[in-house]
Amino acid sequence: VVTTGDDFVTTRTLLSPFFCHFDLPPKRDGGAASITADPLDILRYFSPLPGPNPGHGVKYALHKAARPISRGIPSIMARIAVDMDDVIADTLAKVLDEFNRRHGLHLSKSDLIGAHFHEILAVDQHRNLMSMVLEDTFFGDLPVMPHAAAVLERLSKHHEIFIATAAMEVPTSFNAKYQWLLTHFPFIAPLKIVFCGDKSIINADYLIDDNPRHFARFIGTGILFDSPQNAHAKGYHRVHSWLEVEEYFKNIQAQKESTVSAN
Ligand SMILES: [Mg+2]
């Protein structure tokens, strides 16, 4: 992951077990910083090739993440990444309501048990649905999943919570999603919101998601949030509600506390 700007802390703590700080020369008065370091040093850092010791402005800091991932915070805390669509937002309900309204249909969640829209809609209908979700404001008024806000606020007192949404699938959704999160989950700081593509880059202890494909290369434990479309997915810990999520983490916390006190 290569980032720009001053988000080193987020980069170091969330995204990567290997963190390189690319040191820039100090800004001159009013002038933009420019890179004077040799980019080949980055290559040397990641390869075993011998090379001259970096001596022209590049500093490296290597932080190997040790389990538990949440270093620096009490060991009973977990870092929990939470998906947005169909986990804290009932996106499917909005899609169905709006699509039915526009096209005089009567599709329901039960039509999507173990199926995706492209499997139950004609090609032109599916095209209409995709252009509907690409509208800038579509994600701005999603219903909040029952108990999601209250449970996440309670969990945030004991654990580190991040929202990780694969927003790159619908890039037009960024602003509406961000505003929605600020409105309904104001206790989650903007620096703990991650708009991403492939979630395997997320460095957390748990990922709560309705799409099991995000668990394939995820470093931590995947928790499958039940939805009609994942009804047939097997091999994951499945939760059916946010109250069940809360119970799951109460049990995890109790186990950790008993381990800590036993030691
Ligand atoms: Mg989702």
Side-chain angles (χ1 to χ4, degrees), residues 83-87 199 209-211:
D83 178 34
M84 181 174 159
D85 293 311
D86 298 314
V87 174
K199 293 186 189 177
D209 208 299
D210 65 301
N211 192 333

Side-chain angles (χ1 to χ4, degrees), residues 86 89-97 100 106-115 117 120 143 145-146 225-229 231:
D86 298 314
D90 195 349
T91 309
L92 191 54
K94 166 80 189 280
V95 171
L96 287 167
D97 286 352
N100 284 336
H106 301 283
L107 296 170
S108 70
K109 288 186 176 181
S110 60
D111 295 313
L112 285 157
I113 293 175
F117 278 108
I120 65 165
M145 208 59 100
F225 199 90
D226 187 63
S227 85
Q229 292 173 310

Side-chain angles (χ1 to χ4, degrees), residues 104-153:
L105 298 172
H106 301 283
L107 296 170
S108 70
K109 288 186 176 181
S110 60
D111 295 313
L112 285 157
I113 293 175
H116 295 277
F117 278 108
H118 70 270
E119 295 167 303
I120 65 165
L121 295 177
V123 172
D124 59 332
Q125 282 182 316
H126 187 247
R127 195 177 302 125
N128 288 339
L129 184 140
M130 291 311 295
S131 51
M132 179 181 82
V133 301
L134 283 168
E135 292 169 8
D136 291 351
T137 58
F138 183 81
F139 289 84
D141 60 351
L142 303 175
V144 179
M145 208 59 100
H147 307 292
V151 169
L152 268 182
E153 187 163 19

